[in-house]
Amino acid sequence: MTVTIKEVAEKAGVSVATVSRVLNNNPAVSDKTAKIVRETIEELDYRPNFLGRNLRKCETNVILAIFPSSEYSAGLEIVKSMHETASEYGYDIIMATSYDNSKNEMRLLNMLFNRTVDGAVLMSTHLCADEINKISEEYDIALCGEKVDGTNVLTVTVDDVKGAYDAVSELIKEGHTKIAMISTGNEALSSLDREEGYKKALSDAGIEFDENYIFRGGYSFSDGENGYRYLFSLPEPPTAVFAVSDILAMGVAKRALRSEKGKMPKIIGYDNIPLCESYSPTISSVSQPARDIGREIIKKLIENIKSENKCREHIIMPHKIIRRESF
Amino acid sequence: MTVTIKEVAEKAGVSVATVSRVLNNNPAVSDKTAKIVRETIEELDYRPNFLGRNLRKCETNVILAIFPSSEYSAGLEIVKSMHETASEYGYDIIMATSYDNSKNEMRLLNMLFNRTVDGAVLMSTHLCADEINKISEEYDIALCGEKVDGTNVLTVTVDDVKGAYDAVSELIKEGHTKIAMISTGNEALSSLDREEGYKKALSDAGIEFDENYIFRGGYSFSDGENGYRYLFSLPEPPTAVFAVSDILAMGVAKRALRSEKGKMPKIIGYDNIPLCESYSPTISSVSQPARDIGREIIKKLIENIKSENKCREHIIMPHKIIRRESF
DNA sequence: GTGAAAGCGCTAACAC
DNA sequence: GTGTTAGCGCTTTCAC
C-alpha cells in the first residue's frame, strides 16, 4: 500500500489535521510547520488518495464526456475546448464512448451515480427524455450538440433546423432547384431537425419536395457513396446535395469524382470537421462554433455543480456556412 | 445527498452488513432476506457510492487511456478493442488527452496516483524512461503503440523499424530508387524508428541515402502538403514517398493531385486509419492490428492489476502492408 | 445466516 | 497555530 497522510504526520511530528491543512493551503498553518510538512511529503513522495478526499468532500473535480461513437470527430473539437475551460476551474475532462449502445451509456453514467465524476456531458444520447429528466433531478448533466425534446436540462446546440435551412437556401440562391439530401436512417434528432430545415427551405422557395430526393443511410463514408449511387441513378438526378454530415458529403464527392458521367454536383456537409479543409475537393459545410460550445457548456455545468440553483437553459449557438471547393 | 446503504438497511430491517452482502452477491444470505433487501434497493432507487466501496477495496475497475492528441485517430481503433476486452473483465475504459503536454500528462496520471483509476495505458508519451520506470514500480501502467527505450514496462507495439523497412522495400521492389520520406520533426520515438527502417531498406538495396530526401514537419495534413512542396521542388524530385502517418500521406496526395507537373508519386502511409480506404486516392499503408493490440494490452494490464507478479514484456505485434491506389 | 464494529484515507468542527 | 475526534459510505472480520 502507498504512503498515507498518517505516515507523513508521524514522520513530520505533527497531526494528520496539520498535514491536511498544508495540502489544502489552509493559511492557519505556521510557515515553519508548513515547510517541515512539505519537505516530508516530498521525501516520502506522498500523494493524497483522492478516494478518501473525495469521499469526504463528495466531489472529484472530474467531468465525463460521453461520446456516441468513436467516429464522432466533431465532438473531439468540442472536448478540446471543454478541456481548456475546465482546466481554468481546476477540473479534468475524461471521455468515454457508448458505441451507440444505451446499455453502455447507462454503465458509464454509473460513474456519475457512484460519484466517480461530478458531472457528465452527453454528446448525443440514446436515452429518452424521461430518463434524462430523472437523472438531472439528482445529478449534474448537460446535453451537447443535440437537444432532446421534452427534456428540462442544460443543453447547448446549434439550431439544426436553421443550419440546414441556411445551407439549402444558399444552394437555391445559386440557382439550384434539384437539391437532394443525404440523411441518417435512425432517429438521430439532429438529423430529423436538419430534414425539417431542408424541407422548409425548399418550400419557402416554392420548390416542391420530392421524397425520392432524400437518401437515408448510416453515418459512414460508404453511406455517402451509396447515397451518390442512388441519387445519380435516378431518372432526374439532382444538381446539388446537402448531407447531414461532412463524412457523408465526402463519400458523395468521392463517388462523383469517379463517376463517368463526370459532372460534379454542388455538395455541402455539416459540422465542419477539420478534414473538410483537407479533403479533395475541400468540402463546404455548416460550421458549429466548437470552441464556444465547449466553453459555454463547461462553464454552466461547473456552475451547476457548485450551486443549488441549476441552470436548465437551452442555449443555441450561432452556426456559419463555410464555402469551399465543393460548393 | 443520495440514499446510502444505511437507509436501505433501516428500511429493510437488516444490518448494513447484510445489505453489503446482497450487493456483492455473497451466498451466505438467505433467499428471503436477499429478496427483501433487493426490493428495498429497488424501491429507494439506491446506488452504491463507489467512493466508499473503492476506498475500502482500493480498486475502481476503471482504466485510463491517455492520448497524446485528439488527432491520433489510430488510437481510437485501439481503444475500441481495449473497451471490448475490458468489458469482459468488468472494467471500464476512459480516455483523456494530454494535448502533447507533459504537464497535462502528469495531471492525468494523478488519477492513477490518487486511485481514481486502477491502471493507465499511455498511447505515446512525453515522459522519459526514468519517470515511467518509477511510476511503474508502484502503479500499473502500459505503453501502447510506441516503446520507450530504457523502460521496463508492459509494452505492446508493432516493430516500427521493420514496418518502415517493409514499406520502403516494397517501393524498391517496384523499381523505385528515388524514395523520399516525410517524418515528424520532434523526437516521437516511432518516427525515429521508422526513419531507421527507411534508411536500412535503402542501404540493403544498395541505394545511397540522401538527407535531402527526408522532410521533417509536424503531424498534420498541411505538414504533408508542405512536404510535397519541398520534395517536388528539389532539382531531382523523388518518384515515391514514404510518410510516417496516413494523414501526412494524404497531404502529399492532395498536393500531388493539384500540381501542374502532373505526375503522381507512389505514396505509402502508416497506421492504416479507416480514412485510408475513403480518401481519394485511397492510401496504401502499414497496418497495425488495432484489435489485437487493444486486446493484448488490456488483458495483460488487468492481469498485472490483479496480481503481484507483474508482466513487463515488450510484445511486438505483426504489421501488414496494405496496398491501395496510392501505390 | 446475521449483526456489531473496525477501519479504508481524508477533512472539518471543535477544543485548547 | 495545532491536535483530537467524528464521520464520509462502504466491506469484512469476528462473534453469536
Side-chain angles (χ1 to χ4, degrees):
Chain A
M1 205 42 227
T2 22
V3 31
T4 74
I5 199 173
K6 207 172 141 202
E7 299 172 50
V8 176
E10 275 165 16
K11 181 118 198 252
V14 298
S15 72
V16 289
T18 301
V19 178
S20 174
R21 286 188 189 104
V22 173
L23 288 172
N24 293 284
N25 295 315
N26 186 323
V29 185
S30 75
D31 288 356
K32 196 168 133 248
T33 317
K35 186 157 170 284
I36 297 175
V37 172
R38 269 189 246 281
E39 281 166 3
T40 316
I41 288 174
E42 186 79 16
E43 209 174 316
L44 297 178
D45 195 24
Y46 163 73
R47 326 252 190 171
N49 175 330
F50 274 31
L51 294 177
R53 182 178 192 286
N54 297 339
L55 174 57
R56 184 59 226 236
K57 307 234 283 188
C58 240
E59 65 173 47
T60 65
N61 285 12
V62 176
I63 292 170
L64 173 66
I66 301 183
F67 273 61
S69 88
S70 43
E71 279 142 40
Y72 179 42
S73 40
L76 293 177
E77 281 289 294
I78 298 178
V79 168
K80 192 168 179 179
S81 121
M82 296 197 332
H83 178 263
E84 283 163 11
T85 309
S87 291
E88 293 168 22
Y89 291 88
Y91 279 73
D92 263 319
I93 304 284
I94 61 175
M95 295 175 273
T97 309
S98 70
Y99 299 103
D100 277 318
N101 171 329
S102 66
K103 223 167 122 190
N104 277 340
E105 197 173 338
M106 262 304 180
R107 236 183 76 170
L108 291 171
L109 281 172
N110 260 321
M111 299 186 73
L112 189 62
F113 305 150
N114 67 36
R115 306 290 172 185
T116 303
V117 299
D118 290 347
V121 179
L122 307 181
M123 320 283 292
S124 158
T125 175
H126 285 270
L127 304 178
C128 67
D130 282 352
E131 291 173 303
I132 292 171
N133 283 332
K134 181 138 181 253
I135 292 169
S136 85
E137 277 169 29
E138 215 172 325
Y139 304 93
D140 290 298
I141 59 173
L143 303 182
C144 180
E146 201 172 275
K147 74 173 197 297
V148 178
D149 281 332
T151 53
N152 182 28
V153 186
L154 172 61
T155 303
V156 178
T157 61
V158 294
D159 183 339
D160 279 308
V161 179
K162 187 139 191 320
Y165 183 91
D166 290 349
V168 175
S169 296
E170 287 276 309
L171 290 164
I172 294 172
K173 227 185 285 168
E174 298 279 314
H176 293 275
T177 56
K178 289 185 280 187
I179 302 171
M181 170 160 184
I182 299 198
S183 185
T184 58
N186 61 17
E187 314 85 28
L189 302 142
S190 52
S191 290
L192 293 181
D193 280 353
R194 290 169 199 182
E195 286 189 24
E196 188 185 328
Y198 162 76
K199 290 179 188 166
K200 188 151 182 297
L202 293 183
S203 126
D204 281 5
I207 300 170
E208 204 182 332
F209 165 64
D210 180 353
E211 180 67 38
N212 290 321
Y213 270 4
I214 294 202
F215 175 86
R216 291 191 185 81
Y219 289 102
S220 71
F221 190 89
S222 60
D223 293 308
E225 296 187 271
N226 291 335
Y228 178 88
R229 290 196 188 94
Y230 162 76
L231 292 170
F232 287 82
S233 61
L234 288 175
E236 236 182 302
T239 61
V241 177
F242 165 59
V244 294
S245 88
D246 293 325
I247 294 288
L248 290 172
M250 289 172 199
V252 175
K254 176 169 175 190
R255 270 307 126 210
L257 227 102
R258 311 249 162 152
S259 96
E260 277 143 30
K261 308 193 198 100
K263 202 137 180 282
M264 183 69 144
K266 295 296 173 190
I267 302 172
I268 183 163
Y270 212 107
D271 287 345
N272 193 36
I273 61 176
L275 193 65
C276 285
E277 193 78 63
S278 307
Y279 201 73
S280 200
T282 57
I283 301 291
S284 303
S285 189
V286 181
S287 147
Q288 309 192 24
R291 292 189 57 81
D292 301 336
I293 292 178
R295 184 167 31 69
E296 200 61 21
I297 203 158
I298 287 302
K299 224 178 103 220
K300 295 267 197 255
L301 183 59
I302 292 179
E303 280 170 18
N304 279 355
I305 290 171
K306 293 191 169 164
S307 130
E308 277 315 302
N309 213 337
K310 306 296 184 188
C311 163
R312 298 179 177 285
E313 270 178 273
H314 177 181
I315 299 165
I316 295 176
M317 307 297 282
H319 58 263
K320 233 170 34 196
I321 306 286
I322 311 284
R323 289 184 71 153
R324 298 200 181 85
E325 292 166 359
S326 77
F327 170 20
Chain B
M1 204 44 223
T2 22
V3 32
T4 71
I5 199 173
K6 205 171 143 205
E7 299 173 49
V8 176
E10 275 165 16
K11 181 118 198 253
V14 298
S15 72
V16 289
T18 301
V19 178
S20 173
R21 287 190 188 100
V22 173
L23 288 172
N24 292 284
N25 296 313
N26 185 326
V29 185
S30 75
D31 287 357
K32 195 166 133 247
T33 317
K35 185 156 171 287
I36 297 175
V37 171
R38 271 189 245 279
E39 281 166 3
T40 315
I41 288 175
E42 186 79 17
E43 208 173 317
L44 297 179
D45 194 24
Y46 163 72
R47 326 250 189 171
N49 176 330
F50 274 31
L51 294 178
R53 183 177 191 287
N54 297 340
L55 173 57
R56 185 60 225 235
K57 306 234 283 189
C58 240
E59 66 173 46
T60 65
N61 284 10
V62 176
I63 291 169
L64 172 66
I66 301 182
F67 273 61
S69 89
S70 43
E71 279 141 40
Y72 179 42
S73 40
L76 293 175
E77 281 289 295
I78 297 178
V79 168
K80 192 168 180 177
S81 123
M82 296 197 331
H83 178 263
E84 284 163 11
T85 309
S87 291
E88 293 168 22
Y89 291 88
Y91 278 72
D92 263 319
I93 304 284
I94 61 175
M95 295 175 272
T97 308
S98 71
Y99 299 103
D100 277 319
N101 170 329
S102 65
K103 223 167 122 190
N104 277 338
E105 197 173 339
M106 261 303 180
R107 237 183 75 169
L108 291 170
L109 282 171
N110 259 322
M111 300 186 72
L112 188 64
F113 305 151
N114 66 36
R115 307 287 173 188
T116 303
V117 299
D118 290 346
V121 179
L122 307 181
M123 320 282 293
S124 159
T125 176
H126 286 270
L127 303 178
C128 67
D130 281 352
E131 291 173 304
I132 293 172
N133 283 331
K134 182 138 181 253
I135 293 169
S136 85
E137 276 170 29
E138 216 172 326
Y139 304 94
D140 289 298
I141 60 173
L143 303 182
C144 179
E146 201 172 275
K147 76 172 196 300
V148 177
D149 281 330
T151 53
N152 181 28
V153 187
L154 172 61
T155 303
V156 178
T157 61
V158 294
D159 183 340
D160 280 309
V161 178
K162 188 141 190 319
Y165 182 91
D166 290 349
V168 175
S169 296
E170 287 276 308
L171 290 164
I172 294 172
K173 227 185 285 166
E174 298 279 314
H176 293 275
T177 54
K178 290 184 279 186
I179 303 172
M181 168 159 186
I182 299 199
S183 184
T184 57
N186 60 18
E187 314 84 30
L189 303 141
S190 52
S191 290
L192 292 182
D193 280 353
R194 291 170 199 181
E195 287 188 24
E196 188 185 330
Y198 163 76
K199 290 178 188 167
K200 188 152 181 300
L202 294 183
S203 126
D204 281 5
I207 300 171
E208 203 184 333
F209 165 63
D210 179 353
E211 180 67 38
N212 291 320
Y213 270 5
I214 294 203
F215 176 85
R216 292 190 184 82
Y219 288 103
S220 72
F221 190 89
S222 59
D223 292 309
E225 295 187 271
N226 290 335
Y228 178 87
R229 290 195 189 96
Y230 162 76
L231 291 170
F232 288 81
S233 62
L234 288 176
E236 237 183 302
T239 60
V241 177
F242 165 59
V244 294
S245 89
D246 293 325
I247 295 286
L248 290 172
M250 288 172 200
V252 174
K254 176 169 175 191
R255 270 307 126 208
L257 226 103
R258 310 251 161 148
S259 96
E260 276 143 31
K261 309 194 196 102
K263 202 136 183 281
M264 184 69 144
K266 295 298 173 188
I267 302 171
I268 183 162
Y270 212 107
D271 286 346
N272 193 35
I273 61 176
L275 193 66
C276 285
E277 193 76 66
S278 306
Y279 201 75
S280 200
T282 57
I283 302 291
S284 303
S285 191
V286 181
S287 147
Q288 309 192 24
R291 293 190 57 81
D292 300 336
I293 292 178
R295 184 165 31 67
E296 199 61 20
I297 203 159
I298 288 299
K299 224 177 105 222
K300 295 268 195 252
L301 183 59
I302 292 180
E303 279 170 18
N304 279 356
I305 290 172
K306 292 192 169 161
S307 129
E308 277 314 302
N309 214 336
K310 308 295 185 188
C311 162
R312 297 180 177 282
E313 269 178 275
H314 178 183
I315 299 166
I316 295 176
M317 308 295 283
H319 59 264
K320 232 170 36 198
I321 307 287
I322 311 283
R323 289 185 72 154
R324 298 200 182 87
E325 292 166 359
S326 77
F327 170 21

